[in-house]
Amino acid sequence: MLVGGDLGFLSSLVVAAFMAVFGPVSGFMVRRKWRRSVARRDEIKRLLVLASEEAARVELQAAEEYGYDYGYRCESLKEEYEVFVETPASSAPPPTISTSYSGSFN
């Protein structure tokens, strides 16, 4: 099949013009989609943190309604519940337990 005319320079010029116009446009589109996906991922992480905090808060409120106590107290009530532990009178170290095996059960 014969082609009428030389397409070498003209086709190179068309490809170069196409790449000069649509190359940056496609690059901007890819960059925009990438940034939106990163922003969407960060938003999902933020919403997951908020949801877990809200679930914990609701669980504590429900536990308070039923009278359960998870150990969270106000600082003003802390003084009422302080426990004083006495230190042992002797300062001798605790006895050591031998873990060596002698080979007999007697």
Side-chain angles (χ1 to χ4, degrees), residues 1-76:
M1 181 166 133
L2 295 174
V3 178
D6 184 19
L7 298 178
F9 179 72
L10 184 61
S11 64
S12 297
L13 187 63
V14 169
V15 169
F18 182 79
M19 291 301 290
V21 172
F22 292 108
V25 170
S26 63
F28 287 129
M29 289 175 56
V30 167
R31 188 173 116 195
R32 181 174 177 249
K33 287 186 180 231
W34 184 273
R35 285 185 174 184
R36 289 182 77 183
S37 69
V38 168
R40 189 177 303 121
R41 185 179 62 215
D42 291 343
E43 180 70 12
I44 289 171
K45 285 181 182 179
R46 187 184 69 83
L47 290 174
L48 283 173
V49 168
L50 288 175
S52 66
E53 289 174 353
E54 182 180 2
R57 184 172 38 254
V58 167
E59 184 178 338
L60 286 175
Q61 288 174 353
E64 287 176 359
E65 289 178 9
Y66 288 108
Y68 295 117
D69 184 19
Y70 284 115
Y72 300 108
R73 294 191 176 92
C74 296
E75 292 297 322
S76 62

Side-chain angles (χ1 to χ4, degrees), residues 69-90:
D69 184 19
Y70 284 115
Y72 300 108
R73 294 191 176 92
C74 296
E75 292 297 322
S76 62
L77 298 176
K78 188 176 180 182
E79 294 173 359
E80 295 178 18
Y81 296 106
E82 284 188 14
V83 177
F84 296 100
V85 179
E86 292 183 24
T87 58
S90 69

